[in-house]
Amino acid sequence: MRVVLSIGGSVLVPDLDADRVAAFASVVNGLAADGVTLGVVVGGGAIAREYIGAARSLRANEIELDGLGIAATRLNARLFITALGGRAIPSPATDYEAAGAALRRGDVAVMGGVTPGQTTDAVSAAVAEYVGADLLVYATSVPGVFSADPETSADARKFERLSAGDLVDVIADVEMSAGASAPVDLLAAKLIERSGTRTIVLDGTDPERIERAVHTGEHGGTDVVPEGSNDEPTYWVDG
Ligand code: UTP
């Protein structure tokens, strides 16, 4: 089973806590030991926001800000590589080919951002497409995909399952509302729709939920199911 795991910066490093990073690494190492081929994409979290905020007040342009964001995601990816120990590639992959080559060698591929103008949500969807992942898991700070931003809208309801096309529509709607944020951004949703990658969006604040999702397909979040596929996958580790 080939899995791409996207760990949001706000989940992995809302602050810099070595024990939290170790807990996520332990889940990834456990899945790798179970025979799962893994690519991990790490977000920027608080450190990215702090650097971007400081540089914005220094009048940096958006591309320069993205450059700082990418550097922060790669710093977090390096920290995660340290926590993984010997199973991971020695430094973050900086493009999809390098990530794919690492998976072919049997290493855990770890990466942060790739190019300005996007976030690691899109990187995760692109690397999943590139390596032909069976499953893409977004570990986010919200428990799934909602009809509106649950932070700002009292009648937001969570989807248990939706098609990739519906995901694009829902995310586009949420992103249209001022101040609202979606758990996965629109470019990522479009890449998921294009590639037909089976995707789970879950509350990743407890890393064991990620492990359970890959082992059993149970997660309490949102399943994004490729168009025309109603079959339950048979590849769960415990399946
Ligand atoms: P994140 O993926 O962490 O962005 O990348 P985010 O969604 O804003 O953060 P969370 O998940 O809510 O904490 C951090 C920043 O790095 C840049 C962008 O500026 C992004 O906001 N970035 C990241 C890129 O420009 N390109 C990439 O491929 C990845």
Side-chain angles (χ1 to χ4, degrees):
M1 180 181 185
R2 185 167 280 202
V3 176
V4 170
L5 171 61
S6 180
I7 311 181
S10 51
V11 170
L12 185 68
V13 279
D15 51 22
L16 204 47
D17 176 355
D19 289 341
R20 189 188 302 107
V21 175
F24 280 92
S26 162
V27 163
V28 168
N29 272 334
L31 289 172
D34 291 333
V36 178
T37 301
L38 272 155
V40 181
V41 182
V42 177
I47 188 169
R49 275 192 297 280
E50 282 176 34
Y51 270 84
I52 288 171
R56 183 168 276 131
S57 58
L58 294 168
R59 299 179 180 279
N61 65 45
E62 293 298 317
I63 299 292
E64 289 174 309
L65 298 180
D66 284 344
L68 280 171
I70 292 169
T73 62
R74 289 182 178 165
L75 189 63
N76 290 334
R78 272 191 186 272
L79 184 66
F80 198 62
I81 286 170
T82 304
L84 284 173
R87 279 191 199 274
I89 50 172
S91 62
T94 53
D95 59 39
Y96 303 117
E97 288 84 355
L103 293 198
R104 276 203 289 275
R105 286 194 306 270
D107 290 342
V108 176
V110 182
M111 65 195 300
V114 168
T115 189
Q118 59 177 38
T119 73
T120 52
D121 290 351
V123 174
S124 307
V127 74
E129 178 170 19
Y130 183 73
V131 305
D134 300 299
L135 183 66
L136 168 61
V137 178
Y138 284 98
T140 76
S141 52
V142 287
V145 180
F146 285 75
S147 55
D149 184 347
E151 291 286 318
T152 55
S153 170
D155 53 2
R157 91 193 147 78
K158 188 174 82 185
F159 296 100
E160 282 188 11
R161 183 184 173 100
L162 77 181
S163 71
D166 288 344
L167 178 71
V168 170
D169 293 343
V170 167
I171 301 291
D173 275 358
V174 172
E175 289 195 351
M176 286 290 282
S177 342
S181 71
V184 175
D185 63 31
L186 188 56
L187 178 56
K190 287 187 170 172
L191 290 170
I192 290 167
E193 183 185 34
R194 174 176 92 172
S195 64
T197 307
R198 177 139 185 150
T199 302
I200 294 171
V201 181
L202 53 72
D203 173 356
T205 49
D206 176 1
E208 281 177 14
R209 198 170 287 118
I210 299 168
E211 187 173 27
R212 197 161 54 247
V214 177
H215 269 260
T216 66
E218 280 162 31
H219 49 79
T222 300
D223 281 307
V224 182
V225 181
E227 236 68 50
S229 137
N230 291 317
D231 299 340
E232 267 314 296
T234 52
Y235 48 60
W236 310 119
V237 175
D238 294 344

